[in-house]
Amino acid sequence: QSVLTQPPSASGTPGQRVTISCSGSTSNIGSNVVNWYQQLPGTAPKLLIYSNNQRPSGVPDRFSGSKSGTSASLAISGLQSEDEADYYCAAWDDILNGPVFGGGTKLTVL
Amino acid sequence: QVQLVESGGGVVQPGRSLRLSCAASGFSFRIYAMHWVRQAPGKGLEWVAVTSYDGSNKNYADFVKGRFTISRDNSKNTLLLQMNSLRVEDTAVYYCARDSTSLIVVGELDYWGQGTLVTVSS
């Protein structure tokens, strides 16, 4: 059971906008920034969004993040087939004294 | 460019030990905190351990405390994970990852290695 809660799956058609939610508690999302990771099939995770809503260099602006209270969300607009991947939210946890992850959301592009 | 290359994985019997290595290059290894994160087959990501940039502070997930030890050799740009008393449930791909901000731990992992598979089985 993961500390952060994400839906196990999400889907959309090319060009659509999809959102993935992430729910936590006061010791993690409520107190710290949220990061999102993208894991393409058979590859290592990659930092997609950091500090709630910042994109590393090279990440398209189709990807955006937001946070409110103890929840966060990742939005992907103009969905493309290459966006098909697993997405993980994460945040530092002040009780565990380490980063905690969501269980991951498998995004399917129909 | 930043590169992290893990090695040392393999098949090991329950109760035995294994040591993983992560060779870092392309950045000033000695000023960044480093993490180990694992992923069981078909499962999600699970944080394992972190070491500060100088090795003076370390922290572990509860499920590995007392069994795993994270360490680093800044003279060799190498991160290590000594895994003792291995259990079947430790079977996973183990990734090393860099903490994004120099000199402190923020838990934002900006570079990851390709991972090394550890299989614990009798």
Side-chain angles (χ1 to χ4, degrees):
Chain A
Q1 185 112 7
S2 302
V3 175
L4 305 183
T5 302
Q6 298 179 236
S9 63
S11 64
T13 57
Q16 265 192 332
R17 181 178 189 270
V18 297
T19 61
I20 297 171
S21 63
C22 176
S23 177
S25 66
T26 54
S27 66
N28 41 66
I29 294 179
S31 308
N32 299 289
V33 298
V34 176
N35 305 306
W36 290 88
Y37 299 89
Q38 178 193 57
Q39 187 175 32
L40 297 170
T43 70
K46 164 192 160 184
L47 182 63
L48 186 69
I49 297 286
Y50 67 96
S51 295
N52 302 327
N53 56 18
Q54 303 298 302
R55 282 176 287 106
S57 173
V59 173
D61 59 6
R62 302 186 295 104
F63 295 90
S64 62
S66 64
K67 174 186 138 176
S68 178
T70 59
S71 295
S73 64
L74 172 71
I76 309 171
S77 60
L79 199 61
Q80 299 181 5
S81 58
E82 56 260 40
D83 298 334
E84 197 160 275
D86 293 323
Y87 293 86
Y88 295 90
C89 60
W92 188 265
D93 191 284
D94 293 334
I95 296 175
L96 298 178
N97 217 17
V100 290
F101 290 91
T105 298
K106 184 176 185 63
L107 175 64
T108 301
V109 181
L110 302 169
Chain B
Q1 71 281 20
V2 173
Q3 269 203 309
L4 299 170
V5 179
E6 302 93 337
S7 61
V11 181
V12 62
Q13 292 179 326
R16 303 299 290 265
S17 299
L18 206 59
R19 189 176 82 157
L20 305 183
S21 297
C22 170
S25 61
F27 67 102
S28 295
F29 177 75
R30 62 183 179 83
I31 63 171
Y32 286 90
M34 296 293 296
H35 300 255
W36 286 100
V37 177
R38 73 183 186 183
Q39 186 170 34
K43 302 296 184 182
L45 302 173
E46 194 171 45
W47 175 76
V48 174
V50 60
T51 175
S52 60
Y53 71 99
D54 60 357
S56 62
N57 287 295
K58 303 170 187 181
N59 197 34
Y60 301 89
D62 286 344
F63 54 81
V64 303
K65 274 181 184 174
R67 300 190 299 125
F68 290 12
T69 302
I70 189 172
S71 61
R72 63 192 298 158
D73 185 340
N74 285 346
S75 69
K76 296 180 179 178
N77 290 351
T78 300
L79 177 71
L80 301 168
L81 185 68
Q82 178 66 41
M83 304 187 295
N84 298 332
S85 302
L86 281 162
R87 304 168 180 167
V88 171
E89 54 265 35
D90 293 321
T91 295
V93 173
Y94 285 74
Y95 297 100
C96 66
R98 190 184 84 164
D99 204 289
S100 65
T101 304
S102 61
L103 302 180
I104 60 174
V105 179
V106 297
E108 177 187 295
L109 308 182
D110 62 349
Y111 287 95
W112 297 62
Q114 85 289 349
T116 187
L117 176 61
V118 173
T119 302
V120 184
S121 173
S122 53

